[in-house]
Amino acid sequence: MTPDEAQKLLAACAAFDNRQPSQVAKRAWAMALRDIPLDEDAFAAIARYYGTPPKDPGQRLWIQPHDVRSIRRTIRSERLEHFQYQPLPDETPREFLARLRGQQNAIASGSVAAPTSSAALTGGPHRDVLKELEGVGRGVPDSDEEALADTVRRAGPLGIECPQCKAAIGRPCKTPGGSRKQPMGKPRATPHSARTAAASGQPAVDPAQRVREEERRREASRLALARMQADEDNPDAEVVEHDDAAS
């Protein structure tokens, strides 16, 4: 930009802010914008600057050369938003770079109309890609309930509902009974055996059979405790071995 061109740009600024351009000002603006031509985008940058409200309502707008430079660059970049290079068959890298810069400059300057939308891809994926994608991903739940179950599903016994205490998926098993603090029962440190068996795919145990097994274990525990108490009551008792021949 020459000093005379900068004077014309300052005149456009004065129409908005009533500045009084001087000879010193036009030379300073020409030096600051020496690589910027006086084109329609430079004038459009001034109009956009003064057409945008300031961040501070009480601030006085006063455009500077760097504002012209940055806003002009933004205006030109907006035209390239949907740019797509138009290649030539069998072009060399040098030809590609030259054509790329030429096409971008033509659209950025406004001499060629900017595309209004990006070009859409046509055709489907290659059959090899479709083959690789088979089995990839997972199904989408049909309901919110299924989606909620997926969020708490996990491996091991907690991944299923307990068949004994009916503890929900992801929740620990409960002991029988309850209290005011824990009306549903105290959480168990380990899952019920029925839940562990069901999670591992073992057949379900009949409730009556489970009751008999629990009674057998309680009886075995009672007898073992009785023997321990008997040993404590007779610490000096001797074990008498009978001679089979004598008998």
Side-chain angles (χ1 to χ4, degrees):
M1 184 177 297
T2 66
D4 291 339
E5 291 174 336
Q7 186 175 11
K8 295 178 181 179
L9 198 64
L10 284 167
C13 298
F16 291 99
D17 54 28
N18 297 321
R19 70 180 66 198
Q20 302 296 324
S22 62
Q23 295 296 319
V24 175
K26 74 175 186 179
R27 287 194 296 270
W29 274 60
M31 291 178 61
L33 300 174
R34 58 186 178 277
D35 57 333
I36 301 296
L38 183 67
D39 55 11
E40 292 298 327
D41 290 337
F43 289 105
I46 296 174
R48 179 176 294 193
Y49 177 86
Y50 284 103
T52 303
K55 295 181 179 180
D56 184 0
Q59 178 185 0
R60 181 186 178 186
L61 293 177
W62 192 265
I63 194 169
Q64 297 291 339
H66 66 83
D67 297 315
V68 175
R69 180 186 297 276
S70 61
I71 297 175
R72 180 180 178 274
R73 184 187 304 115
T74 299
I75 293 174
R76 293 170 65 88
S77 297
E78 290 171 351
R79 299 193 183 108
L80 295 172
E81 180 178 0
H82 301 293
F83 169 77
Q84 185 176 9
Y85 176 66
Q86 302 297 327
L88 285 178
D90 301 327
E91 61 184 357
T92 64
R94 185 184 298 274
E95 292 172 340
F96 162 74
L97 292 175
R99 284 179 54 82
L100 177 63
R101 296 191 186 99
Q103 292 180 20
Q104 289 179 335
N105 289 334
I107 294 177
S109 64
S111 58
V112 175
T116 57
S117 61
S118 300
L121 296 176
T122 58
H126 193 273
R127 58 179 178 272
D128 293 340
V129 177
L130 291 176
K131 185 177 180 180
E132 292 293 333
L133 292 177
E134 291 181 358
V136 176
R138 58 173 181 163
V140 179
D142 296 329
S143 63
D144 293 340
E145 289 77 10
E146 294 183 13
L148 180 60
D150 285 340
T151 60
V152 298
R153 187 170 294 130
R154 63 186 70 180
L158 296 186
I160 64 171
E161 178 182 308
C162 181
Q164 182 170 340
C165 67
K166 305 304 180 183
I169 295 174
R171 306 299 300 176
C173 292
K174 302 289 186 179
T175 57
S179 61
R180 180 179 300 178
K181 184 177 181 181
Q182 296 174 326
M184 300 301 294
K186 183 179 179 181
R188 288 171 53 95
T190 58
H192 285 109
S193 58
R195 191 177 195 179
T196 302
S200 61
Q202 300 179 13
V205 180
D206 181 70
Q209 181 181 355
R210 184 170 63 247
V211 171
R212 291 193 297 269
E213 178 64 19
E214 291 177 354
E215 291 177 352
R216 185 189 67 80
R217 293 180 180 180
R218 282 197 294 268
E219 180 63 18
S221 298
R222 186 186 66 79
L223 293 175
L225 181 60
R227 286 194 297 269
M228 293 174 60
Q229 291 177 347
D231 293 341
E232 292 177 358
D233 294 339
N234 300 284
D236 298 328
E238 295 182 357
V239 178
V240 178
E241 297 182 358
H242 298 280
D243 189 355
D244 293 339
S247 61

